[in-house]
Amino acid sequence: MSSLIDQVSAEGGIQSLTREQLPALADEIRDFLIHSVCRTGGHLGVNTGIVEVTIAMHYVFDSPKDKFVWDVGHQVYVHKILTGRAHTLKTMRQDGGSPGFPAKDESEHDLMDVSHGGTSLSVASGIALANKIKGTDGYPIAIIGDSALGEGLALEALNQIGYDKPKMLMIVNDNGWGITENKTALKAHLASKTEMMSNQDGLFEAMGLKYVGPVDGHDLDALIDVLEEVKDEPGPVALHVKTEKGRGVPFPTDDITKYHFCFPLNTETGKPITEDIGTEEGVFYKPLSSFNAALVGAKIKEIAESDDDIALITPATMGASETLGAFNAVPDRAFDVGMAEQHALTLGVGLSLQGMKPIISYQSTFFQRAYDQLVHDACVNNVPLLIILARSGLAGLDHATHHAVLDLSYLSCVPNLEIYFPPDHKSFNALLEDKARNWVSGPTILMNPYGTLEMIEPSDEELQSMVDNLYNADNVGVILTTAGFLKSALKVQAKLQEAGAKWAVLNVTKIAPLDQDLFAKLFGQYDRFVTMEENVSRGGMGSSVLEIANDMGKPIEALRITLGDKFVDHGTRPYLHAQCDIGADNVVAKVKAKWPDLKS
């Protein structure tokens, strides 16, 4: 007998089912999700929690005519299943596979690529206003979690929506969690709502929206009835649904944080499957080697415990920055402000102005949201801050928008800002300790790349060899690289040496401003430079090297190896390097093409 998922895919969607069949569909989808995500890894908790809500949406509304606007987008697995893409989940988090987020090129049911929070209300209100102006159909439905609702962009949108009152629906998926437990006033307000207070809310009503709820987010009949009711409302509606993150997961979920995102899991125990046990080719199992961020997080904990002036801040990214232990160690001086990247930065400014030493940890892709605060509040005023950016450069298998491939370009141009990109976790932690103990004189950023020590860090012997070989008289040039690309640069060096040309390799640790004395010495010996960076082509480290050479009047020859002038898809580092023609063999070929007869 064919499954209900197959029937939905083959027979024109969920409308081919009766309403009485929907609970069985929900059970089947949840079981499918658990087994699929445990096989590939992914966002297990939120997707098992939003099954019934997504089914009800598709049953009542007509996608893609009606526009489903997903906030963050990590909760779209059920939506993908209901739009004929169950098979794509088998390729999730694999090179060339389906992203675990909305993908406009994958389906007409995905309005836009998205993986950052707070965007849905602005997009949905724009669609609604366009409908009003042009007299067009297509009801916009924004699906936003209680954590993303605290984003500044979301609150800005609410402020305008309540005034213009466009016809649209905001579904607030309230499960009390972001990546970790939400600890905000907005979360407390939503948590105070019970069914005994149905359809009463001072917050949303005061902002000009009709409030409906709270509704049990796992009661299909209640969800369908309320969606049928609100779709005829002439203005904006806030529908508050309460869901359980990790609902139906067959193993203990006491720490649901572990299942916000997970590596492949044993479906019986919930324990991660490590790379030495996993057998399926192409699946990214949990590495045995430590991630560099975990070792950095441990150092932050050590520093915070030993200095009462240290304050810790993060905008809901303790997971990526591996700082949960540090935050738990000094709770009175640790502030997880929720998904509020801008506020996190300027909160740090305020703490610094009052004599504290704020260390602010971000997942690098989200830091671009705080750019104005970095420039206007921190750098114009030269306020001492220590900012940690985890996952700078290529960031793995989540989504194209999770990479931080603009970092070196948009940050290195800011005055009064020092930026460091150390080659390994030992150098990173030594620099971090020095900056925290002696404290910084102005805004300072320390970046680290995404990956395990085995993936991205050279050995101590290789690092020492780089130092010893830097000014060898037999070298024909120098390869300048940034962390994350260093092991590849060493492979390039070895292959070129096999071909008869010796090159030095140097990790450019201080990205901005570049070390004038170092480059004066390099320009004094070398006129051939290869620069390698996981960054777009314009404005990065290679561009800065050419600028400083020009300023010093040094006519160097340079080959810049970058990701190009494009956004890069998700994938493992070797896969993406190959896709961008910057794998070690590609770089060697480019060096030989530029300098064909070069020998030591």
Side-chain angles (χ1 to χ4, degrees):
M1 185 175 70
S2 66
S3 71
L4 293 175
I5 292 175
D6 291 339
Q7 185 176 335
V8 167
S9 298
E11 298 183 17
I14 197 171
Q15 279 73 27
S16 64
L17 303 183
T18 66
R19 186 161 168 170
E20 290 71 26
Q21 290 177 291
L22 298 183
L25 175 64
D27 292 341
E28 187 177 311
I29 287 176
R30 187 168 278 113
D31 184 68
F32 179 89
L33 280 174
I34 290 167
H35 285 86
S36 179
V37 176
C38 284
R39 174 184 156 269
T40 63
H43 292 91
L44 181 61
V46 68
N47 282 287
T48 52
I50 202 169
V51 173
E52 287 83 4
V53 172
T54 311
I55 289 174
M57 287 167 53
H58 275 276
Y59 198 74
V60 172
F61 300 111
D62 181 17
S63 174
K65 178 184 176 183
D66 295 322
K67 310 298 184 185
F68 293 179
V69 188
W70 301 93
D71 209 280
V72 181
H74 63 314
Q75 75 281 57
V76 295
Y77 298 6
V78 185
H79 168 71
K80 291 195 177 197
I81 292 169
L82 294 175
T83 52
R85 288 177 282 166
H87 63 285
T88 67
L89 269 64
K90 297 177 182 178
T91 69
M92 196 169 60
R93 292 193 54 76
Q94 295 164 58
D95 291 335
S98 176
F101 294 85
K104 66 182 186 302
D105 294 334
E106 185 178 88
S107 172
E108 63 179 347
H109 296 277
D110 293 356
L111 184 65
M112 57 189 292
D113 284 43
V114 61
S115 72
H116 288 195
T119 63
S120 63
L121 298 183
S122 296
V123 173
S125 62
I127 293 169
L129 289 169
N131 285 342
K132 180 179 179 180
I133 294 166
K134 299 174 68 175
T136 50
D137 295 327
Y139 191 40
I141 303 107
I143 307 94
I144 186 168
D146 52 307
S147 183
L149 191 57
E151 276 277 4
L153 179 61
L155 296 175
E156 290 173 18
L158 277 177
N159 198 32
Q160 185 259 338
I161 289 167
Y163 181 81
D164 280 324
K165 299 190 185 314
K167 179 177 172 61
M168 60 174 286
L169 173 62
M170 172 180 70
I171 298 177
V172 180
N173 178 31
D174 175 15
N175 61 25
W177 291 79
I179 296 175
T180 53
E181 184 178 4
N182 291 339
K183 297 180 180 179
T184 64
L186 185 57
K187 182 253 182 161
H189 173 77
L190 293 171
S192 71
K193 300 299 175 185
T194 68
E195 292 185 25
M196 297 296 293
M197 307 166 66
S198 182
N199 299 341
Q200 298 177 6
D201 182 85
L203 175 64
F204 294 108
E205 296 281 354
M207 295 194 75
L209 286 79
K210 177 180 176 64
Y211 171 84
V212 178
V215 177
D216 181 350
H218 304 293
D219 184 335
L220 272 165
D221 283 332
L223 287 167
I224 291 171
D225 287 345
V226 77
L227 290 175
E228 290 283 7
E229 176 186 330
V230 301
K231 72 178 184 180
D232 294 325
E233 287 288 335
V237 177
L239 172 60
H240 180 191
V241 300
K242 293 202 171 191
T243 62
E244 176 191 353
K245 192 171 185 178
R247 185 176 181 88
V249 172
F251 34 78
T253 56
D254 295 338
D255 182 10
I256 196 62
T257 300
K258 292 186 293 187
Y259 308 116
H260 170 79
F261 165 82
C262 62
F263 288 104
L265 301 174
N266 182 303
T267 54
E268 295 181 0
T269 65
K271 293 182 178 180
I273 301 172
T274 52
E275 60 186 348
D276 60 326
I277 299 173
T279 59
E280 192 169 346
E281 186 176 355
V283 173
F284 186 55
Y285 296 102
K286 184 176 183 180
L288 294 173
S289 177
S290 298
F291 279 89
N292 57 357
L295 300 170
V296 171
K299 174 57 71 172
I300 293 173
K301 177 176 181 290
E302 175 189 319
I303 291 169
E305 287 178 318
S306 63
D307 187 343
D308 290 344
D309 286 336
I310 295 289
L312 305 180
I313 305 171
T314 192
T317 51
M318 281 189 286
S321 60
E322 298 275 11
T323 52
L324 180 60
F327 274 65
N328 289 339
V330 291
D332 293 339
R333 292 182 279 119
F335 308 97
D336 183 349
V337 299
M339 295 170 68
E341 295 86 1
Q342 296 163 296
H343 168 61
L345 197 288
T346 305
L347 172 65
V349 168
L351 286 164
S352 180
L353 292 175
Q354 200 62 16
M356 298 294 289
K357 301 175 181 177
I359 299 177
I360 315 173
S361 300
Y362 287 84
Q363 184 171 339
S364 193
T365 179
F366 304 125
F367 186 62
Q368 59 199 20
R369 299 183 142 207
Y371 194 56
D372 180 64
Q373 287 66 41
L374 174 72
V375 173
H376 180 272
D377 301 333
C379 291
V380 167
N381 295 285
N382 203 28
V383 177
L385 296 172
L386 192 48
I387 302 164
I388 311 296
L389 299 187
R391 305 187 186 182
S392 286
L394 296 175
L397 288 157
D398 285 319
H399 189 272
T401 56
H402 271 54
H403 297 309
V405 299
L406 307 177
D407 283 6
L408 306 184
S409 299
Y410 85 96
L411 293 173
S412 62
C413 64
V414 181
N416 290 343
L417 179 63
E418 289 192 357
I419 306 171
Y420 297 87
F421 208 170
D424 67 333
H425 76 279
K426 293 178 183 178
S427 303
F428 188 103
N429 282 348
L431 184 61
L432 169 61
E433 183 157 21
D434 175 67
K435 296 295 184 183
R437 301 292 185 207
N438 300 309
W439 200 228
V440 295
S441 58
T444 304
I445 291 176
L446 304 186
M447 298 175 172
N448 64 354
Y450 175 72
T452 66
L453 307 192
E454 182 180 342
M455 291 176 190
I456 58 174
E457 293 196 0
S459 66
D460 292 342
E461 292 75 19
E462 288 172 317
L463 288 169
Q464 186 59 50
S465 177
M466 287 167 53
V467 174
D468 296 341
N469 185 55
L470 182 56
Y471 297 106
N472 190 317
D474 292 335
N475 294 333
V476 298
V478 60
I479 301 170
L480 303 177
T481 184
T482 54
F485 220 163
L486 179 51
K487 288 191 79 167
S488 183
L490 291 171
K491 291 179 182 178
V492 171
Q493 179 193 41
K495 289 175 181 289
L496 290 172
Q497 183 162 335
E498 289 173 5
K502 293 182 179 180
W503 288 75
V505 173
L506 174 66
N507 183 83
V508 181
T509 294
K510 191 173 185 183
I511 298 294
L514 290 177
D515 186 325
Q516 297 276 329
D517 293 337
L518 169 64
F519 276 90
K521 191 172 182 180
L522 290 173
F523 295 147
Q525 177 162 338
Y526 299 116
D527 56 13
R528 299 181 192 91
F529 288 77
V530 177
T531 63
M532 298 176 62
E533 56 192 310
E534 291 180 343
N535 196 77
V536 294
S537 59
R538 288 176 287 176
M541 182 266 289
S543 297
S544 296
V545 170
L546 290 175
E547 289 170 5
I548 194 172
N550 181 72
D551 293 345
M552 290 184 174
K554 301 294 184 179
I556 66 171
E557 297 178 57
L559 172 63
R560 294 191 301 137
I561 305 298
T562 70
L563 298 171
D565 187 20
K566 62 184 177 182
F567 291 108
V568 180
D569 207 352
H570 66 282
T572 59
R573 185 171 272 109
Y575 172 80
L576 295 178
H577 282 185
Q579 291 290 302
C580 295
D581 294 325
I582 57 172
D585 289 336
N586 303 105
V587 175
V588 168
K590 291 177 181 181
V591 172
K592 290 180 177 179
K594 185 170 182 65
W595 297 290
D597 301 318
L598 195 60
K599 301 288 182 182
S600 293

